[in-house]
Amino acid sequence: MCGIVGYVGDKQALPVVIEGLKKLEYRGYDSSGVALVQNGKIGVTKEVGKIVRLQKKLQGQNNSSGLGIGHTRWATHGEPTVENAHPHCSMDGKICLVHNGIVENYKFLRTELQEKGYLFNSQTDTEVLVNLISYFKSKENDTKKAIQLALKKVEGTYGIAVIDEDEPDRFYAARCGSPLIIGVGGNENYVASDASAIMIHTSNVIYLDDFQMACVTKDDFEITTLDDEPIEKKIDKVDWDISAITKNGYEHFMLKEICEQAETVQNAYRGRVSKANCSVRLGGFNFSARDVRNLENVQFVACGTSWHAAQVGKYLLEKIARIPVSVEYASEYRYRNPIIPQNTIVVAISQSGATADTLAAMREAKNRGAMVYGITNVVGSEIARESDGGTYLHAGPEIGVASTKAFTSQVTALALLAYHFGQVRGSVDNQQVLEFIEELEALPAKIDQVLEYKQQLKEVANLIKDSKNALFLGRDINFPSALEGALKLKEISYIHAEGYPAAEMKHGPIALIDENMPIVSIAPYDAIYNKIISNLEEVKSRKGKIYAVASQKDENLEAICQKVFYVPQTLWALMPILVSIPLQLLAYYVAYEKGLNIDQPRNLAKSVTVE
């Protein structure tokens, strides 16, 4: 869960690397560092905290080196200290690397190296790896061979970039389980863990696969296996607008991304529905109509916000397509010997397409013979490349650590999937599909209406910002939105919050309710609206402060709530999208009023690429 960037070329490497690290800071911001080769020596500068502190430390340094690597860290092994920050150098200072991932057998390797006389300055697994490379270099006198031999001894995951002062015209890169790309330019080339780091320089990239490595100079690159077998790799183009990775006038990326949702939801369904033909189609859905008709089970694997979207997907597929669905935490899936019946599709959901647990769960399902379908936002990501079929969200880069637009895009994609399955299986008719398409196409304008509540939600945020706890209640398909609203508040405001089915509240959480406990309820006008009102009456009688998101004015609701935010009425299947947006804004403004770092909340990173 860290960021890597490297450069070799005719320009000064330092500004390029620092600029790239700033773009990657959302992936890790405990510490950062750079390593540059100049006059035959490697120079390393590291600092704890934000990139701006590293920049201050580098001020006044006149470095003309055209080769450099950098890293911004989210700590796994060892506290955030200068000693534990990357890059790490070998004991003799000749080899330096940056590393994402976890070397699981690092203690064993460290002991082996200590017995050979190697000394260590940090607590990290990464320093073990660079010294292991150094050891093999002393035996082979070949840096590339040394990297290959060292990586063959590693158990775990890695994405690395390596420089050697004996080879000041190149860097090496390799990966296993941690994303890494090579950026291809003119008289310059790059390495990065995320395309956003190098988009300003090039849109041409090569995606490294597991157990592949690259030797990169300014004019050329060579891709091989760890056994040194040459590999031909195509150059892909990253089709992202540069403005997507800037705040574009907003104070925070999170607010910008919340306000982009009318557009991103539209991007998620654009070209995938046809009113003329009353049809829903998914271009990347590489399964036959017979496969869909024979389906007996769908299993979702996901983590965090994507797991909440999967919960919405369960309601959608079961009601619309009449298929039994289970929703699995990807982090638990492969460790419990999962049962995958015949005629099962496993759906892996991940914004980044690189979430380590989700990727591992997907691979486990494939190994057991399941058909695997991926829903992701990042073109060329591991999940996209390894799925049997899939759907891109087309939401553009999501920089804020707390996911917003990806969630609503995921729900949109899942609604499309449900209606597509429903059509193929005959559980919905053309009139129902036409109604869905019309409501879907009306959704962007309705999202814009919801976004007009910003000021009122800011006022409510002031009322609850000093609370220690909060309870989010929802029922039926809107229960997952309550889970997601609670998660957003926890992530960025550090208020303990729980999402609960409203009817389950009296089976425990009701004991917590008093005049200091804010209750956020999702109460759209649907088949169980009166049940929700009864649940809220129970809260009111215990002096709870209720803030509701509803879809139709009702005197009873307004009488028991402190404040009600009305979203436009829409189809049952699409309501989770509209009701989620006020909850995103509420979390944002609570954190804003508390003066917290909204885009980079403590202890969190954007893409969880380690187990």
Side-chain angles (χ1 to χ4, degrees):
M1 292 190 290
C2 311
I4 286 175
V5 62
Y7 173 82
V8 60
D10 291 334
K11 295 190 293 219
Q12 288 189 6
L14 182 57
V16 175
V17 171
I18 289 293
E19 178 185 57
L21 290 180
K22 285 182 176 179
K23 296 291 191 297
L24 294 175
E25 194 167 19
Y26 70 104
R27 295 177 65 102
Y29 34 88
D30 293 342
S31 58
S32 59
V34 297
L36 303 149
V37 179
Q38 189 168 19
N39 301 323
K41 296 293 180 183
I42 294 176
V44 176
T45 305
K46 304 193 282 190
E47 184 57 281
V48 173
K50 306 291 185 183
I51 306 295
V52 66
R53 296 186 64 178
L54 177 66
Q55 279 186 286
K56 288 180 181 177
K57 203 168 186 177
L58 287 163
Q59 277 180 356
Q61 292 191 24
N62 182 21
N63 196 309
S64 59
S65 172
L67 174 66
I69 55 176
H71 189 270
T72 181
R73 182 175 186 245
W74 186 90
T76 54
H77 290 72
E79 295 179 5
T81 64
V82 171
E83 291 77 18
N84 290 332
H86 297 217
H88 285 282
C89 288
S90 56
M91 189 175 71
D92 62 8
K94 290 179 174 293
I95 297 174
C96 188
L97 69 73
V98 290
H99 167 224
N100 291 348
I102 294 177
V103 178
E104 294 174 359
N105 61 335
Y106 84 101
K107 289 184 179 178
F108 171 78
L109 295 173
R110 184 182 179 118
T111 300
E112 274 196 341
L113 289 167
Q114 285 173 327
E115 289 172 355
K116 292 177 170 62
Y118 282 82
L119 303 175
F120 295 88
N121 298 310
S122 76
Q123 301 166 286
T124 68
D125 53 339
T126 302
E127 192 182 10
V128 174
L129 179 54
V130 72
N131 276 305
L132 187 62
I133 295 170
S134 177
Y135 167 73
F136 282 115
K137 169 85 181 288
S138 71
K139 301 298 181 185
E140 301 289 334
N141 196 31
D142 183 322
T143 306
K144 181 181 180 183
K145 183 69 172 176
I147 295 169
Q148 291 168 337
L149 290 170
L151 293 179
K152 287 180 179 180
K153 292 199 69 172
V154 164
E155 296 173 9
T157 58
Y158 55 81
I160 60 170
V162 185
I163 56 176
D164 184 336
E165 67 179 33
D166 293 334
E167 301 184 27
D169 65 336
R170 69 193 61 204
F171 63 74
Y172 295 91
R175 65 148 287 178
C176 173
S178 189
L180 211 59
I181 61 174
I182 304 301
V184 181
N187 298 317
E188 58 187 13
N189 288 308
Y190 307 80
V191 63
S193 51
D194 188 317
S196 62
I198 58 175
M199 276 175 58
I200 195 170
H201 303 290
T202 182
S203 60
N204 298 318
V205 301
I206 296 167
Y207 296 99
L208 291 184
D209 291 321
D210 282 353
F211 308 113
Q212 292 181 351
M213 69 177 296
C215 173
V216 184
T217 65
K218 70 171 186 162
D219 299 314
D220 202 6
F221 56 86
E222 177 191 40
I223 314 294
T224 65
T225 67
L226 295 185
D227 291 321
D228 210 29
E229 297 170 352
I231 298 173
E232 291 293 325
K233 300 284 286 188
K234 70 172 183 174
I235 297 176
D236 290 298
K237 186 170 285 290
V238 178
D239 188 21
W240 279 352
D241 185 349
I242 293 296
S243 66
I245 57 172
T246 64
K247 292 179 185 173
N248 204 24
Y250 288 91
E251 191 166 352
H252 298 96
F253 278 109
M254 183 178 178
L255 182 60
K256 172 178 179 273
E257 288 157 5
I258 290 171
C259 293
E260 288 175 342
Q261 287 176 105
E263 178 183 356
T264 55
V265 163
Q266 187 175 48
N267 289 344
Y269 71 74
R270 192 193 306 273
R272 292 169 172 165
V273 295
S274 169
K275 282 196 289 189
N277 298 321
C278 282
S279 65
V280 177
R281 56 187 182 275
L282 296 162
F285 190 78
N286 300 326
F287 306 102
S288 69
R290 181 179 179 181
D291 289 334
V292 176
R293 282 192 291 268
N294 290 339
L295 269 181
E296 296 176 16
N297 184 265
V298 173
Q299 295 181 352
F300 286 110
V301 291
C303 300
T305 286
S306 297
W307 189 85
H308 295 156
Q311 289 284 358
V312 177
K314 175 180 170 68
Y315 284 97
L316 290 167
L317 285 174
E318 290 191 341
K319 184 168 183 176
I320 296 165
R322 305 306 297 156
I323 305 172
V325 177
S326 62
V327 180
E328 310 279 355
Y329 284 112
S331 56
E332 295 293 326
Y333 185 74
R334 65 188 174 122
Y335 295 110
R336 64 171 184 79
N337 194 18
I339 297 170
I340 305 176
Q342 281 191 330
N343 299 320
T344 293
I345 283 184
V346 174
V347 181
I349 308 177
S350 165
Q351 187 281 136
S352 67
T355 308
D357 289 317
T358 306
L359 189 58
M362 186 186 86
R363 288 169 175 165
E364 179 72 16
K366 287 195 75 170
N367 289 339
R368 291 171 180 253
M371 299 179 285
V372 175
Y373 181 71
I375 297 176
T376 183
N377 190 35
V378 178
V379 175
S381 60
E382 285 92 338
I383 286 176
R385 285 181 285 142
E386 295 186 26
S387 298
D388 298 313
T391 294
Y392 285 123
L393 302 178
H394 300 304
E398 188 177 64
I399 306 300
V401 166
S403 181
T404 53
K405 65 180 181 177
F407 174 74
T408 51
S409 294
Q410 287 168 347
V411 172
T412 304
L414 289 166
L416 291 169
L417 185 67
Y419 275 90
H420 175 67
F421 279 6
Q423 277 195 301
V424 174
R425 294 166 66 90
S427 57
V428 292
D429 59 30
N430 283 352
Q431 184 56 42
Q432 289 170 303
V433 173
L434 181 60
E435 182 184 16
F436 167 68
I437 294 171
E438 288 175 343
E439 283 297 323
L440 192 60
E441 292 180 341
L443 206 56
K446 293 179 179 181
I447 290 172
D448 282 334
Q449 285 181 253
V450 176
L451 289 169
E452 293 176 3
Y453 277 126
K454 289 198 285 286
Q455 184 55 41
Q456 295 98 309
L457 284 159
K458 189 173 184 180
E459 292 168 5
V460 171
N462 263 309
L463 298 176
I464 69 173
K465 66 182 175 66
D466 296 321
S467 301
K468 301 298 182 186
N469 303 283
L471 191 61
F472 286 69
L473 302 177
R475 295 194 71 164
D476 194 58
I477 196 171
N478 295 301
F479 162 54
S481 296
L483 292 173
E484 177 62 10
L487 178 62
K488 293 285 94 67
L489 193 67
K490 279 185 281 196
E491 284 180 311
I492 62 170
S493 75
Y494 316 141
I495 293 173
H496 173 253
E498 295 296 332
Y500 242 81
E504 287 295 305
M505 172 194 60
K506 52 183 169 287
H507 295 287
I510 199 167
L512 300 172
I513 294 173
D514 60 20
E515 63 274 14
N516 298 314
M517 168 77 88
I519 310 295
V520 181
S521 174
I522 303 170
Y525 194 78
D526 56 19
I528 55 173
Y529 176 75
N530 290 329
K531 300 289 187 185
I532 296 173
I533 295 297
S534 296
N535 298 144
L536 296 183
E537 290 282 10
E538 294 166 351
V539 173
K540 181 70 171 178
S541 67
R542 287 155 181 84
K543 300 183 180 179
K545 301 291 192 298
I546 304 171
Y547 305 92
V549 177
S551 61
Q552 184 168 309
K553 291 194 175 184
D554 182 293
E555 290 182 2
N556 293 325
L557 185 62
E558 295 197 341
I560 59 178
C561 296
Q562 305 295 116
K563 181 72 175 177
V564 183
F565 298 95
Y566 293 101
V567 300
Q569 191 68 43
T570 189
L571 274 186
W572 169 89
L574 300 175
M575 188 57 79
I577 295 171
L578 290 181
V579 300
S580 295
I581 295 170
L583 307 185
Q584 295 169 353
L585 286 167
L586 179 63
Y588 172 83
Y589 284 118
V590 170
Y592 183 90
E593 293 301 316
K594 294 179 75 169
L596 299 173
N597 190 332
I598 293 170
D599 287 333
Q600 297 171 356
R602 70 187 182 204
N603 300 335
L604 295 176
K606 182 63 180 176
S607 300
V608 183
T609 56
V610 296
E611 282 197 74

